[in-house]
Amino acid sequence: MTIFKKIIDREIPADIVFEDDQCLAFRDISPQAPTHILVIPKKEISAVDALSEEDEALVGHIFLVIRKIAKDEGLSNGFRVVTNNGLLAGQTVPHLHFHLLGGRPLNWPPG
Ligand code: DGP
């Protein structure tokens, strides 16, 4: 069981900003920008490369939730959505998550 599943199950606390039947959003414990929120499916999917066709609507739903949270956070001037997949990308928690980053200029390319 990952730490994110424990957050979903309320076994460990998190600063939750949004929840519905399919997903949960909470502030990252180690924020890299003034707004740094993780949006995760409640379904235990380890990473992008573990997605299957049945997850298509779920991922679309998560992006609409990201859009809503970005609005709520006042990120009208821009924001970034990042998903790390696997070792070389630096994924540390094997539960699919989308980083929503904003509130400062974001450099490109990323590291
Ligand atoms: P990644 O490197 O893409 O796997 O990002 C994992 C993120 O999860 C990282 O930015 C830190 C965050 N994180 C890890 N453990 C916790 C936790 O217990 N609570 C919260 N809120 N965030 C966590």
Side-chain angles (χ1 to χ4, degrees), residues 4 7 11 17 25 35 41 45 53 60 64 72 76 81-82 104 109:
F4 289 176
I7 289 174
E11 286 176 23
V17 298
T35 293
I45 302 167
E53 301 222 335
L64 291 178
D72 292 347
S76 55
V81 181
V82 176
R104 66 165 173 83

Side-chain angles (χ1 to χ4, degrees), residues 3-4 7 12 26-29 38 84 90-93 97 99:
I3 197 117
F4 289 176
I7 289 174
I12 65 165
F26 50 93
R27 295 192 191 278
D28 195 290
I29 205 167
L38 302 172
N84 297 317
Q91 183 180 6
T92 57
V93 181
H97 51 282
H99 297 256

